[in-house]
Amino acid sequence: MSAPKRVKRAISGWVVLNKPYDMTSTQAVGKVRWLFGAAKAGHAGTLDPLATGILPIALGEATKAVPYVQDGTKIYRFAIKWGSATATDDAEGAVIATSDVRPDQAALEAILPQFTGTFLQLPPIYSALKIDGERAYDLARAGEVVELAKREIRVDSIALVSHGSDQSVLEVSCGKGTYVRSLARDIAEQLGTRGHVSMLHRAAVGPFSDADAVTIDALEALLAEERDTFIRPVAEALDGVPELRLNPSQAASVRHGNAVLLTGAGAPVSMDDCWASFAGVVLATGFVQFGQFQPRRVFN
């Protein structure tokens, strides 16, 4: 007799996972979804298998707020191993070039300001970017020549944490679409040497940071009902986005996807991006036009 099928739960919220080394983001989502028995799950920003750190996992209705987290600022701590470039720009790839040059601390710190602000970056060929519908890393692994266009990125700050002749550790705060592997490659080349990422840890994504994170091992050690204490509210993803608190009749209309007229002193006439709530619960994300809240995504 086969075991009874596990019933999937319609739960919603965020699990802020500290993804372990050598696990894909998809595998991590699958594991967390199974541990919580969630009917639906996704993640807010891929982490390479060899990277560790913050992988915000959206359960249920939280998946509708994923873009807000993906667009948030990210903080990475990473190590550049000096003297060798690899095909993947990290420790996974084969060495494709070497150099005997080892930069000193002063030289490294002197060029870091060149890697702040808004500038163009060439992504690694082993990336999830698509070329004519195919992933760049699939084409690269098949031995095809991969040509990617430079993309505009934003780096808010980059600082040296520790320096050694073999490798240096840095911390960067950056916007969506920044490839740390490319940063490491370009910093090394700017210093007249070669380098690749030998360690990568994401310390923050949007409103979520290491302080919020839980490991898979820790979740596995808990009883099912204890795990639920690690589910954070859907609304945490909307930190920094203006909130509109609705009354019961307005909330009922928005739940059906209808626009509502905002009333009361200080009600906005126009707003590009905001979210509506009732009793602290997310109802919808949307915008305000001519004094009406117009829902884009309704949360059930």
Side-chain angles (χ1 to χ4, degrees), residues 145-164:
V145 176
V146 177
E147 293 185 2
L148 295 169
K150 288 188 175 183
R151 305 195 310 166
E152 188 174 89
I153 63 162
R154 188 194 85 240
V155 173
D156 300 320
S157 65
I158 184 167
L160 182 64
V161 176
S162 64
H163 178 72

Side-chain angles (χ1 to χ4, degrees), residues 92-153:
E92 188 179 29
V95 173
I96 56 172
T98 60
S99 172
D100 293 329
V101 175
R102 299 293 183 270
D104 62 31
Q105 182 170 336
L108 175 54
E109 289 182 316
I111 69 152
L112 292 183
Q114 298 178 30
F115 293 91
T116 59
T118 300
F119 56 93
L120 294 177
Q121 181 188 69
L122 182 65
I125 60 170
Y126 284 85
S127 64
L129 297 175
K130 287 189 174 182
I131 302 172
D132 297 329
E134 299 287 336
R135 298 288 185 187
Y137 55 65
D138 287 332
L139 296 172
R141 286 169 186 152
E144 296 191 30
V145 176
V146 177
E147 293 185 2
L148 295 169
K150 288 188 175 183
R151 305 195 310 166
E152 188 174 89
I153 63 162

